[in-house]
Amino acid sequence: MNVEVVHGPNLNLLGRREPEVYGHATLAEIDQALERLGRELGARVRCYQSNHEGALVDRIQEAAAQADGFVVNAAAYTHTSVALRDALAGVARPYVEVHLSNVFARERFRHRSYLAAGAVGVVSGFGVDSYLLGLRGLIDHLKRSA
Ligand code: DQA
């Protein structure tokens, strides 16, 4: 089983970016934790981050050739990007949307997600655990539908 993790803009700054909102873990630490959990659960996890919408679209299209599903934190593009929504719909792989912070407890513009309607599920507000819970949920979903 192959899972592709896609991180959107500014998540490369994790660890020093608004730590009161996003915590102290770096993106490298999150990726390591996801790869470790993937191994425990029998999945190969690959992680990718970009600050560029088109690069994220390219990655989703390319990764779909071998990925069974996606864990996606599209960051700010969650709230704006029809292109990412269409890319995920276009490759027709199950995905889980995750956020470190609870987007519903924040500004109104963060309450709308262009991706959520097409997702298997959404995990928001548990810090790094949002990613790990999202990966568990996706792998369970993939095993059930295998
Ligand atoms: C985020 C929440 C988004 O609203 C924000 O733009 C981010 C990070 C999160 O993980 O909490 O960059 O996706």
Side-chain angles (χ1 to χ4, degrees), residues 9-11 17 22 73-76 78-79 98-101 103 106 110:
N10 299 305
L11 295 173
R17 174 193 182 201
Y22 298 117
N73 183 354
T78 306
H79 318 299
V98 303
H99 300 284
L100 294 151
S101 63
V103 289
R106 302 181 64 195
R110 296 185 204 275

Short mmCIF file of all heavy atoms in Angstrom, two decimals, residues 9-11 17 22 73-76 78-79 98-101 103 106 110, ligand 1:
data_model
loop_
_atom_site.label_atom_id
_atom_site.label_comp_id
_atom_site.label_asym_id
_atom_site.label_seq_id
_atom_site.Cartn_x
_atom_site.Cartn_y
_atom_site.Cartn_z
N PRO A 9 1.54 25.37 1.26
CA PRO A 9 2.43 26.50 1.49
C PRO A 9 2.67 26.83 2.96
O PRO A 9 1.77 26.70 3.79
CB PRO A 9 1.71 27.67 0.80
CG PRO A 9 0.29 27.25 0.71
CD PRO A 9 0.31 25.76 0.54
N ASN A 10 3.89 27.22 3.22
CA ASN A 10 4.36 27.69 4.54
C ASN A 10 4.55 26.58 5.55
O ASN A 10 5.07 26.83 6.65
CB ASN A 10 3.42 28.78 5.11
CG ASN A 10 3.35 29.99 4.21
OD1 ASN A 10 4.38 30.57 3.90
ND2 ASN A 10 2.16 30.35 3.76
N LEU A 11 4.20 25.36 5.21
CA LEU A 11 4.39 24.26 6.16
C LEU A 11 5.87 23.87 6.25
O LEU A 11 6.29 23.23 7.21
CB LEU A 11 3.51 23.07 5.79
CG LEU A 11 2.00 23.39 5.91
CD1 LEU A 11 1.15 22.24 5.38
CD2 LEU A 11 1.62 23.70 7.36
N ARG A 17 7.22 28.67 12.73
CA ARG A 17 6.08 29.46 12.25
C ARG A 17 4.96 29.44 13.31
O ARG A 17 4.41 28.37 13.60
CB ARG A 17 5.55 28.82 10.96
CG ARG A 17 4.28 29.44 10.46
CD ARG A 17 3.64 28.60 9.37
NE ARG A 17 2.44 29.26 8.89
CZ ARG A 17 1.45 28.65 8.25
NH1 ARG A 17 1.51 27.35 8.01
NH2 ARG A 17 0.42 29.31 7.86
N TYR A 22 0.73 26.35 15.63
CA TYR A 22 1.08 25.13 14.88
C TYR A 22 2.01 24.18 15.63
O TYR A 22 2.32 23.12 15.12
CB TYR A 22 1.70 25.53 13.54
CG TYR A 22 0.74 26.30 12.66
CD1 TYR A 22 1.00 27.61 12.28
CD2 TYR A 22 -0.46 25.73 12.24
CE1 TYR A 22 0.11 28.33 11.50
CE2 TYR A 22 -1.36 26.44 11.45
CZ TYR A 22 -1.07 27.73 11.09
OH TYR A 22 -1.97 28.43 10.31
N ASN A 73 -2.57 18.17 3.66
CA ASN A 73 -2.73 19.44 4.36
C ASN A 73 -2.40 20.52 3.34
O ASN A 73 -1.23 20.86 3.14
CB ASN A 73 -1.81 19.54 5.58
CG ASN A 73 -2.07 20.85 6.33
OD1 ASN A 73 -2.84 21.70 5.88
ND2 ASN A 73 -1.41 21.02 7.48
N ALA A 74 -3.42 21.02 2.68
CA ALA A 74 -3.20 22.01 1.62
C ALA A 74 -2.96 23.41 2.19
O ALA A 74 -2.81 24.36 1.43
CB ALA A 74 -4.38 22.01 0.66
N ALA A 75 -2.95 23.51 3.53
CA ALA A 75 -2.68 24.80 4.20
C ALA A 75 -3.61 25.88 3.63
O ALA A 75 -4.80 25.61 3.45
CB ALA A 75 -1.20 25.16 4.10
N ALA A 76 -3.09 27.05 3.29
CA ALA A 76 -3.98 28.14 2.85
C ALA A 76 -4.75 27.79 1.58
O ALA A 76 -5.87 28.28 1.37
CB ALA A 76 -3.16 29.41 2.63
N THR A 78 -6.28 25.19 0.97
CA THR A 78 -7.53 24.54 1.37
C THR A 78 -8.72 25.46 1.13
O THR A 78 -9.79 25.03 0.70
CB THR A 78 -7.50 24.24 2.90
OG1 THR A 78 -6.33 23.51 3.20
CG2 THR A 78 -8.75 23.51 3.36
N HIS A 79 -8.50 26.73 1.45
CA HIS A 79 -9.59 27.70 1.48
C HIS A 79 -9.77 28.45 0.17
O HIS A 79 -10.64 29.31 0.07
CB HIS A 79 -9.34 28.71 2.62
CG HIS A 79 -8.83 28.07 3.88
ND1 HIS A 79 -9.55 27.12 4.57
CD2 HIS A 79 -7.65 28.20 4.56
CE1 HIS A 79 -8.85 26.72 5.63
NE2 HIS A 79 -7.70 27.36 5.64
N VAL A 98 -6.21 17.07 6.41
CA VAL A 98 -5.77 17.28 7.79
C VAL A 98 -5.30 18.72 8.00
O VAL A 98 -4.83 19.38 7.06
CB VAL A 98 -4.63 16.30 8.20
CG1 VAL A 98 -5.06 14.86 8.02
CG2 VAL A 98 -3.34 16.57 7.45
N HIS A 99 -5.45 19.17 9.24
CA HIS A 99 -4.93 20.48 9.66
C HIS A 99 -4.38 20.36 11.07
O HIS A 99 -5.02 19.73 11.94
CB HIS A 99 -6.03 21.54 9.65
CG HIS A 99 -6.64 21.72 8.30
ND1 HIS A 99 -6.01 22.40 7.29
CD2 HIS A 99 -7.80 21.25 7.78
CE1 HIS A 99 -6.76 22.35 6.20
NE2 HIS A 99 -7.85 21.66 6.48
N LEU A 100 -3.26 20.99 11.30
CA LEU A 100 -2.69 21.02 12.65
C LEU A 100 -3.62 21.76 13.61
O LEU A 100 -3.90 21.30 14.71
CB LEU A 100 -1.32 21.72 12.61
CG LEU A 100 -0.23 20.99 11.83
CD1 LEU A 100 0.77 21.98 11.26
CD2 LEU A 100 0.46 19.97 12.73
N SER A 101 -4.08 22.93 13.18
CA SER A 101 -4.94 23.75 14.04
C SER A 101 -6.40 23.38 13.80
O SER A 101 -6.73 22.73 12.80
CB SER A 101 -4.72 25.24 13.71
OG SER A 101 -5.09 25.51 12.37
N VAL A 103 -9.31 24.61 12.38
CA VAL A 103 -9.63 25.73 11.48
C VAL A 103 -11.00 26.34 11.81
O VAL A 103 -11.23 27.52 11.54
CB VAL A 103 -9.57 25.31 9.99
CG1 VAL A 103 -8.13 25.07 9.57
CG2 VAL A 103 -10.43 24.10 9.69
N ARG A 106 -11.02 29.31 14.19
CA ARG A 106 -10.20 30.46 13.76
C ARG A 106 -11.03 31.40 12.86
O ARG A 106 -12.25 31.36 12.91
CB ARG A 106 -8.94 29.92 13.07
CG ARG A 106 -8.13 29.00 14.01
CD ARG A 106 -6.88 28.49 13.35
NE ARG A 106 -5.97 29.59 13.03
CZ ARG A 106 -4.93 29.46 12.19
NH1 ARG A 106 -4.67 28.30 11.62
NH2 ARG A 106 -4.16 30.51 11.94
N ARG A 110 -11.25 30.58 7.14
CA ARG A 110 -10.69 29.22 7.26
C ARG A 110 -11.77 28.17 7.43
O ARG A 110 -11.49 26.97 7.47
CB ARG A 110 -9.70 29.14 8.43
CG ARG A 110 -8.48 30.00 8.26
CD ARG A 110 -7.48 29.78 9.40
NE ARG A 110 -6.64 30.95 9.54
CZ ARG A 110 -5.54 31.19 8.85
NH1 ARG A 110 -5.11 30.33 7.94
NH2 ARG A 110 -4.82 32.29 9.03
C1 DQA B 1 -3.45 24.82 8.34
C2 DQA B 1 -4.62 25.78 8.55
C3 DQA B 1 -4.73 26.74 7.39
O1 DQA B 1 -5.84 27.62 7.58
C4 DQA B 1 -3.48 27.58 7.28
O2 DQA B 1 -3.54 28.43 6.16
C5 DQA B 1 -2.24 26.76 7.27
C6 DQA B 1 -2.15 25.58 8.11
C7 DQA B 1 -3.23 23.89 9.56
O3 DQA B 1 -2.54 22.88 9.39
O4 DQA B 1 -3.71 24.18 10.66
O5 DQA B 1 -1.26 27.14 6.65
O6 DQA B 1 -3.73 23.99 7.23
#
